[in-house]
Amino acid sequence: SWLPRNIRPLSLITIVTFTLLVILLDSCPIDFNVSERAYNYLEMISLTVVGGYFAVRTFDKHSKNKNVLR
């Protein structure tokens, strides 16, 4: 199925897009303020998703290479 194969890239794109959107909206002169606590949560989620994406991707590539050699 398409969704299980692409859930990690879709999650990564969604979190990065949302993070950039919040940063841009907070820096604009409109009345949109993000609390320090929300920034901390957003930073934690972003680091977890981005780090997890590349860690799991690397693990998957190495485990596939080991299975081919057997």
Side-chain angles (χ1 to χ4, degrees), residues 2-3 6-16 49 53:
W2 182 85
L3 186 60
N6 294 305
I7 194 69
R8 285 191 317 233
L10 288 173
S11 299
L12 181 70
I13 290 168
T14 302
I15 292 297
V16 169
V49 169
Y53 173 79

Side-chain angles (χ1 to χ4, degrees), residues 11-24:
S11 299
L12 181 70
I13 290 168
T14 302
I15 292 297
V16 169
T17 303
F18 181 72
T19 304
L20 290 174
L21 181 66
V22 168
I23 291 169
L24 290 174

Side-chain angles (χ1 to χ4, degrees), residues 26 33-41:
D26 193 40
N33 296 321
V34 179
S35 68
E36 184 69 29
R37 189 173 172 186
Y39 267 125
N40 289 338
Y41 286 135

